[in-house]
Structure formats: structure tokens, C-alpha cells
Amino acid sequence: MQPLRVFKIVPKIPPVLSALHELAYNYWFVWQQSVTEVFSDIDPALWEKSYHNPVWFLNHVPQARFTELAADDAYVTRVQLAKTILAEYLEQETLRQVEGKAEDQPAVAYFSLEFGVGLGLPIYSGGLGILAGDHLKSASDVNIPLVAMGLLYRNGYFRQYMTPDSWQQESYPEYDFEQMPMQRAKTPSGENAVVRLSIGDRPLAAQIWTVKVGRIKLYLLDTSLAENPDDFQGITARLYGGNDEMRIWQEILLGIGGVKALEVLGLEPRVIHMNEGHSAFAGLERVRSFMKNHSLNFEAAAELSAAGSVFTTHTPVPAGNDRFNQDLMYKYFASYAQSIGLAFKVFMALGREDPHNDAEPFCMTVLALRLSRFNNGVSKLHGRVSRKMWHKIWNHFPANDVPIGSITNGVHVPTWVAPSMARLYDHFLGGKWREEQANPQSWSGVLHIPDAEIWRAHERQRAILVDFIRTRMKRQAAARGSRASELEYLDNLFDPNALTIGFARRFATYKRASMLLQDKEALRRIIGNSSRPVQFVFAGKAHPHDDGGKQLMKEIINTFHQPEFRNSMVFLEDYDMEVAYHMISGCDVWLNNPRRPLEACGTSGMKAMFNGVIQFSTLDGWWDEAWKPDNSLGWAIGKGEEYEDVAYQDKVELQTLYSILEKDIVPEFYDRQRGPVPTSWVARMKHALAELAPVFNSNRMVLEYFNSAYIPAFRSSLALSENNFAPAREISSWRMDIMTKWSGLQVGNVQGNQSGQIFVGDTVRVAADVFTNGIALDHLKVEIYMGRVGQDEHISHRITVPMLPEGEARDGKQTYVGEMPAPDTGRYGLSIRVMPVHPLLPNQNFGLIRWAN
């Protein structure tokens, strides 16, 4: 029987506690420990049961408890103080200045398929989503005018549990959005916001929800509407669920639907930031929107869209980038291509590394790279890997000149620093470590914290981790039907004073989760030393379709269950933000042994570092640029070598791993000759914090995006939009003219004093003739390209110096000259390169280049 009416019954919160409702609807509480405690102190057990979701939590607190709290003056004061601090935070309206931005508009829209904002919003799977959540938190803290766009998954990412034989299984809870910290988004006229689009020839509707993340608004699209057919309602059912067809539906919704949603909401950001290739269709939809709304042709609209687009790639292996076959693309984009005036073959070329290869599938990363003028990897090493990986798109460029830069990731410090360490920082550093995370002065005081104080704080966190491990392991055992004696045994699992090493990762093969287990004799020797005990805690998930990752996990867990290992090695199920938080704050060593150079960044190590946890990692991702050869900040596995024979690489690095563990890490941790504190170990903790904390935080990262990408992109978009988009139309015509004439441009007759032997400091003078084929000189950039010549006879570590026209042009030939000092001794080579330039294009990355014959 269906009800006549549906209504919701909730507790009546007393007026003196009414601020709890406001606090619950802003994820600011995630990085405000005092506010989290305002909730958790009401009922700690219920708070844990709520999965740290304050809306569900408040709706399940007994009415009698609210009555009791309303009479508690101290608690009422805490609530009012939290409200005041939130109000003061939100009222700091001075946004980062963006000249030319309308006052009521964001400058940037940040697109991502997943966001890890807090435990109670489970729409993330791992590092990509956590990074996106930290990006929003820091954008809020440093006050950047930014909004975000994503999808709201009814079942989130899967919850993990293990069968009795240690095989990963997945469960998918159904989340009630009405009981989560979010609300229906409104149109400018005050109606519930719904976006409508087509997927192929079928209509799709998605309602829009608003999540407040401090000062930032995150908009989430939800297709679970009755007007959608069942299969379309499933688009926002699961993160990374389904086949290629479901994936392309999700990415159409995120990219195309996301851009349309901004219009529905009355938002007009000039810049979009596409976080990974999943959102590349956003760049495409902006092209269509510019064509439709401003009567631009495809070339002008594409240039305008690209000028205001930022793209971040996170994937260092080709197989990790979404690719769709031609039949699938034709099914959903044949009519779309027509709507933007492109033949389908030309449309497909936008997503192909080789535009002329009709057999190549359509790659979302390639589309994003082609439709952005600001592209970056997420660490310096990953930037180099990405330039090499996508070299084919700019095949006339040397790999080092491919226009993909790098902005190294960071983590949101207040979210990830544990309470014991936070109190220590507050006492010895003051509040600056929270507000000015990227300022070295904010962290310099770490070196003056008494050793005993920082060690005591860290030991408290290790004890909390051990309690957490015991509780989780008992829960896991009970779920598998373990006997009472087994549960009782787990009450004493792990030693809160022992060296504790953590490993938490997605179970992809290149991360080598089982590497530690390849020499079981050495492992037995290490964990079997009762005078210097060592214990390991592992966690991680395998993709639901990755049977190889599941098999690897099964082997690891079964090894841990063996009698010789079960007291010192555990696997925590259902890896999420809560598990990560306890591990990165309570371990002593953070182990990370990916196969270089396949780790894009590795932000979990940064989180651990902020809690005084020492790094022990291969030189990959962020650790490649953070590690120092004297090991004063942590240890490295290897010296950054890259091997063609991966089996040999694994063997060599396994030996290195155990050698460092036995000879360096374990002895130093247990070196207590001068008292109960391991002074050398603590010195390493403090030096890592002082040197690395100002760099590897997300405030620095977001400000770097703001200054080096967002502001230039905004200015470029603004410049192309002036006078009814006349500059965009001019660029379109100019580019077509350049493309037509470029094949006829030649460089020759290179002359100079650089042949033979020259001395350090001598001036290298070069002249060359450029046959311009009618291209204006102010649209050409001519440069000396010089650098060391390696064994492969290629120039590396190049230096460029501009060459200037000399004399008058004759018969289409212009002489250019330039000079540069010989920089150092060695074998050097040079060439001359010419590229097209235009004052309205700050990043000339559309791939045209001509080298001297």
C-alpha cells in the first residue's frame, strides 16, 4: 500500500543548539577538530556509526540527549563559539583578485569524476578523489573564486570485505542524500536545478545538489530521477562501475552535463580545470556553447575554449587513460560532431595521438591535451614521464619541449594532521602552520620542539593506531564467524611500543604490494627479533574487475594468517579515509615501493610526513624531488634507476629494501642509548617537517595553479572575448593562415663560430636565413637551441636564446642572428628552431615547429 503523503520526523533541536544544523551542512567541520568534537561528544558510538555524517547523526540523536545538552552551559558555549568561528571564516569575502571577473561569478570551475571531501561523502576511490577534495579545501582556505562539478553516486565506491579464503568481495550501500550534508541546488529564479542533455539520441535529466566545502560550492549531478529510464538512473549509481558504455555515459554527464549545469545555475566561469581525462568532454561542450551563443566558427570557439582550459593528468601509464572504440564514439557523437560542423573523421582525430590513424581509439587524455593551453603532471618526474608518453601528439618537438608542465601535488594539512601533533604544532608554532602552510617560517620552529615532546605526541598516535587495528581486526574476524577465543586473542594484537611500518595502496601490480614478502627468510628474521620488534600494517583495494589485484591481495592476506606472521602483520579491510587517517598518523615508517617511474605522485606519503612518519620509498613521484642523498629526511630504495628488465629491478630493489630495514631503520628506531627517546630518529622527523612541510601542502599547490595557470588562462580568455570575440575570430583566421603557409617555411644557411673547439665563456654567434613564405616576422619566434649532446647524439638540458632579424628581408628571406655564451665544458650541439607566435596566445602549444636543415 502506497502512502498518501510522505514526511520526515526528526528530533527537535533546542534553540540554543540550533547552530548544530548550520555546522552540519558545511564540510568545514572535517578540518576543524573542535567542531568534529562538538558532534562526536554528543554520542561517540553513534558518531562512529554515522560514518562521520553529521546530518544523519543529528537525526538519530535521542530527543532526551538534546534536552540534556541544552542545559549544559559549557556545551552550549562550545556550539556558539563554533558558529562564530565559521561565520568569521565565511565572512572573509576578499577573494584572490582576478581582474576582469564579475563580482558575483567564479573565475574557475573544477571538474572531477570523484571527490574525497570527507568520510561521510563516499564519492571517491583513492588518491585522485582525495586530491580533488584537498584542492577544494585549500581553494577555500586561500579564498580562490572557484566552484567544482562532479557526480553524486547513489552507491558510492564499493565497500570491501573478504571471504573466508581471503578473496575480495564488494558491497554497495544505498545512500540517502536527504540525510547527508548537501541540499538541492537552486536556479537563479529559486527553482530546484535540473540539467537536461542528450546521450546519443536519448534525453537525460540530472538534478543538481550543492555541497558546501568551506567557502567553496561543490555541485553534484544525480540521475536517479523517475523520468529517466532505469539504465540512465544507473549512470550515477556507482563510481567506476560498469563497462565502457557506462563509463562514456558518466563522462558525457560530467563533461557535457557539467558545463550545461553551470549555465542552469547562472554561473559563467571563464576557466575550467579538468582533473584527469574523465572530464575532457567539458572542453568540447564549451566549444559547442561558444559556437551556439556567440556565432563563432569551430576554430575560433576551440581556441577560446582552450585558452581558458587547464588540464591535469594523473596517469603515468598509457593503459590507465580512458579510450573508446570508434563504434561507441559514433553511437554517441555522430550527431554531436555535426552540431559543431565537423566530419566524424575529423572529430575522431581530436582524440587520437595520430590524427591520420583511423584504427586508433578515441582517448580522453588526448582530447583534453588538445583542448587545453595549460597542461601539467602532478610531480616533476611525472611531468617528464607525461611529456615522453604524449610526445606523439607533438611529434616534431623534442620530448623535453612537449607542452606539459608539472605542478606537484600537496595535501590539506589541517585535514590530515592528527590531534596529538596538531596540539603540539599549536603550542610550539602558533596558528601560522594552519593559515600559512606554504611559508617556511611557519614550520621553522619545528626544529626547536623538545625531542621528548614530539616523540610523546607520536607515541600517542601509534597507541591510537594499535587500538584501531585491534578493533578493526575483531570486527573483521566476527564478520567471518570467528570463535570467541580468536576474538579474545585479537585484544592483545600488536605492540603499541614496537616499530610499526605501514603500506596502504590501490592494489595495482606496479605498486608491488607483495614485494616485502618475496624474501620470507629475511622477513622472519626481522619480525622474529623479540628485542627489536617490527610490525607491518597493510590496507588497500583492488578494482572490482581486477582479478589479478584480488589474487595478489589474497596471497598477502593468507601469508599474514600464517602462525609465524599473524602476530606482526595485519591487513585492514575496507580502506577508506578513516583507515588512511589512522595509518598515516600512527605508523613510524611509510613504505612505498612502486616500480619507478609509474607512481604519478603518492600523496599518502605526504600525509604521513606531516605526522612525523618517516618515508621509505623508491625514488618515484613526490619522493623523487623531496629525498636528500644524505637520508636526513627519510630513506630511498635505489637511486632512481629505471630498468628494462622488471624482474631484475624487483630483485635488486628487494635486496636494497631489506638491507636498509635491517641495517638502518630498525637499529636507528631502537637506538635509545641516551634515554627513552631515539634522538637520531626524532631529528629525522623534525628535519623532514621543517624542509618538506612548506612545499608539499595543497595551499602551495592551489596557489601555484592560481598564479601559473588560472590567472594566465583567465586573462587569455578575457582577451579573446573582447569586442564581441573579435580577437578569437582573428586568432582563428591567423591560425588557418599559418597552417596553410607553414609547410613552405624553411630555415637554412646556418653560419657561426661554433664549429670545432671553443672555450668556456666564449660567445657563440649564430646566423641563419628563414624563408618565411609570407608569414609576418612578428608572428615568428626564431631561437638558438643548444645543449649537451649525449651518447644517443641528441641534445639534452637545452638552452634557448632568441634570434633577432638583421637587415631587410629580400625575396622572402630574412636573416636572423643570435649570441649565447658557451656555458660549460663538454660536448655541445645546437640547432635553430622556428615557431609561430601571437600576442594573444600565451601558450603556443598547437604543435607547429620548423628546424634548420
Side-chain angles (χ1 to χ4, degrees):
M1 175 181 170
Q2 288 190 320
L4 292 174
R5 296 180 182 175
V6 176
F7 51 91
K8 184 167 58 175
I9 300 175
V10 298
K12 184 178 181 181
I13 299 177
V16 293
L17 300 178
S18 61
L20 287 172
H21 186 270
E22 182 180 348
L23 294 169
Y25 276 89
N26 193 319
Y27 273 93
W28 175 75
F29 78 85
V30 168
W31 67 98
Q32 300 294 326
Q33 182 66 27
S34 62
V35 182
T36 300
E37 291 171 353
V38 163
F39 293 121
S40 64
D41 286 354
I42 295 175
D43 186 334
L46 185 65
W47 178 247
E48 291 306 312
K49 183 179 178 181
S50 77
Y51 214 53
H52 298 192
N53 173 355
V55 175
W56 184 95
F57 173 77
L58 292 176
N59 286 340
H60 288 78
V61 172
Q63 187 66 52
R65 179 59 174 151
F66 280 125
T67 303
E68 179 185 348
L69 290 168
D72 183 340
D73 291 342
Y75 184 79
V76 171
T77 300
R78 289 171 61 194
V79 173
Q80 294 300 321
L81 178 61
K83 178 184 177 181
T84 300
I85 296 172
L86 173 59
E88 291 174 350
Y89 178 86
L90 296 177
E91 287 168 5
Q92 295 174 13
E93 296 178 353
T94 305
L95 299 176
R96 296 275 162 179
Q97 294 303 308
V98 181
E99 188 175 348
K101 183 187 76 66
E103 184 176 343
D104 59 343
Q105 289 290 336
V108 182
Y110 182 92
F111 286 70
S112 182
L113 200 59
E114 53 175 298
F115 286 92
V117 175
L119 192 64
L121 186 61
I123 56 170
Y124 64 92
S125 69
L128 177 70
I130 301 298
L131 181 280
D134 283 4
H135 194 108
L136 301 192
K137 295 170 189 175
S138 279
S140 173
D141 285 346
V142 303
N143 227 344
I144 288 176
L146 177 147
V147 296
M149 186 66 64
L151 304 185
L152 183 57
Y153 305 100
R154 190 167 62 252
N155 306 130
Y157 197 50
F158 72 89
R159 303 295 298 273
Q160 178 196 58
Y161 66 97
M162 300 298 170
T163 62
D165 66 346
S166 304
W167 187 259
Q168 174 183 289
Q169 293 289 306
E170 299 86 31
S171 66
Y172 292 91
E174 182 118 357
Y175 295 104
D176 181 357
F177 302 150
E178 298 288 351
Q179 295 216 48
M180 298 175 74
M182 63 181 69
Q183 294 173 316
R184 300 287 179 92
K186 302 294 183 181
T187 66
S189 60
E191 301 169 338
N192 285 341
V194 176
V195 62
R196 300 184 184 279
L197 63 153
S198 295
I199 292 188
D201 57 0
R202 301 171 63 194
L204 172 68
Q207 56 190 340
I208 309 172
W209 296 80
T210 305
V211 174
K212 295 178 181 177
V213 185
R215 302 181 181 103
I216 301 298
K217 288 184 178 179
L218 164 61
Y219 296 104
L220 299 173
L221 307 182
D222 164 28
T223 63
S224 57
L225 292 171
E227 67 180 271
N228 289 326
D230 289 347
D231 58 344
F232 274 9
Q233 289 190 39
I235 291 176
T236 55
R238 298 177 180 178
L239 172 61
Y240 302 133
N243 55 18
D244 281 354
E245 190 158 41
M246 177 57 73
R247 178 64 67 86
I248 200 172
W249 289 357
Q250 290 183 331
E251 295 183 358
I252 289 171
L253 175 61
L254 175 63
I256 297 174
V259 169
K260 288 180 175 293
L262 292 171
E263 296 173 359
V264 170
L265 295 166
L267 302 175
E268 299 177 357
R270 287 195 173 274
V271 177
I272 62 169
H273 184 168
M274 296 176 284
N275 188 43
E276 193 59 296
H278 309 130
S279 48
F281 290 141
L284 200 59
E285 180 61 18
R286 291 228 301 174
V287 173
R288 184 164 73 166
S289 176
F290 289 143
M291 293 176 69
K292 176 183 176 182
N293 296 332
H294 304 293
S295 301
L296 299 176
N297 62 23
F298 174 81
E299 288 76 17
E303 196 55 59
L304 181 60
S305 177
S309 294
V310 178
F311 171 57
T312 299
T313 175
H314 293 259
T315 310
V317 289
N321 296 269
D322 285 342
R323 287 178 165 84
F324 301 115
N325 65 49
Q326 180 164 299
D327 290 344
L328 197 61
M329 290 299 297
Y330 188 84
K331 181 177 181 180
Y332 294 111
F333 283 94
S335 61
Y336 194 101
Q338 289 181 347
S339 73
I340 55 177
L342 295 183
F344 185 71
K345 181 176 181 178
V346 176
F347 176 87
M348 285 294 292
L350 293 172
R352 286 171 167 158
E353 294 177 70
D354 180 358
H356 306 293
N357 182 1
D358 293 344
E360 184 182 329
F362 189 96
C363 178
M364 295 294 285
T365 302
V366 173
L367 176 66
L369 289 167
R370 285 220 166 93
L371 292 180
S372 301
R373 292 290 171 261
F374 301 86
N375 302 309
N376 69 280
V378 291
S379 68
K380 291 178 181 178
L381 178 59
H382 181 231
R384 295 198 294 272
V385 170
S386 298
R387 287 189 287 274
K388 183 178 180 181
M389 189 163 73
W390 303 111
H391 183 203
K392 196 173 182 180
I393 301 174
W394 292 274
N395 59 349
H396 297 299
F397 284 49
N400 287 338
D401 291 338
V402 166
I404 301 175
S406 64
I407 295 178
T408 301
N409 284 342
V411 300
H412 187 250
V413 183
T415 294
W416 297 106
V417 169
S420 292
M421 298 300 287
R423 287 191 290 268
L424 188 77
Y425 298 159
D426 285 338
H427 182 73
F428 288 98
L429 307 182
K432 285 189 175 182
W433 71 273
R434 297 177 188 271
E435 288 87 28
E436 300 180 26
Q437 299 165 27
N439 183 352
Q441 293 301 315
S442 300
W443 296 97
S444 60
V446 167
L447 297 174
H448 305 297
I449 298 176
D451 288 359
E453 293 280 350
I454 195 169
W455 187 243
R456 193 156 44 237
H458 178 68
E459 287 196 303
R460 279 195 291 270
Q461 291 306 133
R462 191 192 311 115
I464 291 170
L465 171 63
V466 170
D467 284 343
F468 179 77
I469 289 170
R470 291 170 178 173
T471 301
R472 291 293 286 236
M473 293 300 291
K474 287 181 68 175
R475 185 193 305 173
Q476 292 171 203
R480 288 194 293 271
S482 297
R483 296 188 299 269
S485 59
E486 170 71 5
L487 300 181
E488 185 177 342
Y489 156 77
L490 293 172
D491 282 334
N492 297 304
L493 184 67
F494 267 40
D495 179 352
N497 297 307
L499 171 60
T500 304
I501 299 176
F503 180 99
R505 292 273 163 317
R506 180 168 56 88
F507 268 65
T509 54
Y510 75 85
K511 294 180 183 284
R512 299 189 293 186
S514 65
M515 184 175 177
L516 183 73
L517 309 182
Q518 299 310 304
D519 186 346
K520 289 192 174 62
E521 183 56 41
L523 186 58
R524 290 187 190 98
R525 191 168 59 244
I526 289 175
I527 67 173
N529 187 340
S530 59
S531 63
R532 299 193 305 187
V534 180
Q535 53 202 16
F536 295 87
V537 53
F538 275 53
K541 290 180 176 179
H543 188 278
H545 298 155
D546 182 8
D547 284 347
K550 291 183 180 181
Q551 181 62 37
L552 178 64
M553 193 181 301
K554 177 180 178 179
E555 294 169 2
I556 290 171
I557 296 172
N558 286 341
T559 298
F560 290 1
H561 286 168
Q562 294 174 13
E564 57 199 319
F565 299 120
R566 69 192 299 254
N567 294 322
S568 303
M569 306 188 81
V570 298
F571 182 91
L572 300 181
E573 295 176 13
D574 201 23
Y575 183 46
D576 61 7
M577 290 180 76
E578 183 180 26
V579 175
Y581 180 81
H582 281 88
M583 288 182 63
I584 56 95
S585 60
C587 289
D588 300 294
V589 173
W590 196 251
L591 176 62
N592 185 26
N593 44 245
R595 188 176 288 120
R596 176 186 165 112
L598 301 181
E599 181 82 280
C601 187
T603 51
S604 62
M606 300 177 188
K607 300 179 183 82
M609 177 271 295
F610 277 103
N611 286 286
V613 179
I614 306 298
Q615 306 298 305
F616 182 31
S617 174
T618 49
L619 291 178
D620 205 359
W622 81 285
W623 192 235
D624 181 65
E625 57 195 86
W627 176 77
K628 295 178 71 172
D630 62 2
N631 290 325
S632 60
L633 309 180
W635 290 277
I637 302 170
K639 298 180 180 179
E641 304 93 340
E642 295 175 19
Y643 300 77
E644 293 185 9
D645 185 340
V646 295
Y648 180 70
Q649 179 178 5
D650 292 351
K651 180 180 178 181
V652 170
E653 292 181 349
L654 176 65
Q655 293 173 346
T656 303
L657 186 155
Y658 273 108
S659 175
I660 294 174
L661 261 180
E662 292 189 274
K663 297 178 181 178
D664 297 317
I665 294 177
V666 176
E668 183 170 301
F669 182 85
Y670 286 105
D671 179 6
R672 313 292 170 92
Q673 297 179 19
R674 287 172 283 180
V677 177
T679 52
S680 296
W681 189 277
V682 169
R684 199 182 301 274
M685 291 169 61
K686 294 198 291 189
H687 279 96
L689 282 164
E691 294 191 35
L692 303 181
V695 181
F696 297 102
N697 60 80
S698 54
N699 281 20
R700 183 274 313 157
M701 174 191 75
V702 165
L703 287 173
E704 197 170 339
Y705 275 111
F706 182 76
N707 292 316
S708 65
Y710 295 166
I711 289 298
F714 189 94
R715 290 172 178 165
S716 182
S717 174
L718 188 66
L720 293 183
S721 303
E722 292 179 348
N723 300 321
N724 194 29
F725 301 93
R729 293 183 174 89
E730 176 193 334
I731 288 291
S732 171
S733 299
W734 171 81
R735 185 167 178 173
M736 292 299 292
D737 183 59
I738 290 287
M739 297 288 285
T740 301
K741 294 177 179 177
W742 194 255
S743 61
L745 184 144
Q746 300 294 328
V747 184
N749 193 28
V750 178
Q751 299 179 10
N753 64 340
Q754 70 279 0
S755 60
Q757 179 175 287
I758 59 176
F759 296 98
V760 174
D762 283 356
T763 297
V764 178
R765 187 178 189 279
V766 183
D769 292 336
V770 178
F771 298 85
T772 64
N773 196 29
I775 299 174
L777 299 188
D778 57 353
H779 289 158
L780 295 176
K781 178 165 69 173
V782 183
E783 295 176 316
I784 302 172
Y785 188 98
M786 178 174 165
R788 291 184 182 274
V789 177
Q791 293 182 349
D792 59 359
E793 296 299 317
H794 284 79
I795 294 174
S796 63
H797 302 95
R798 54 87 167 148
I799 304 168
T800 61
V801 170
M803 301 178 71
L804 300 175
E806 183 176 77
E808 297 292 328
R810 293 187 178 181
D811 301 324
K813 179 185 73 174
Q814 175 65 55
T815 299
Y816 280 79
V817 296
E819 295 182 346
M820 70 170 10
D824 202 351
T825 59
R827 187 165 174 252
Y828 280 78
L830 66 77
S831 187
I832 309 297
R833 72 175 184 184
V834 183
M835 293 185 293
V837 294
H838 194 286
L840 292 174
L841 298 179
N843 285 7
Q844 320 289 333
N845 67 357
F846 41 82
L848 295 180
I849 192 167
R850 181 72 66 208
W851 296 93
N853 295 327

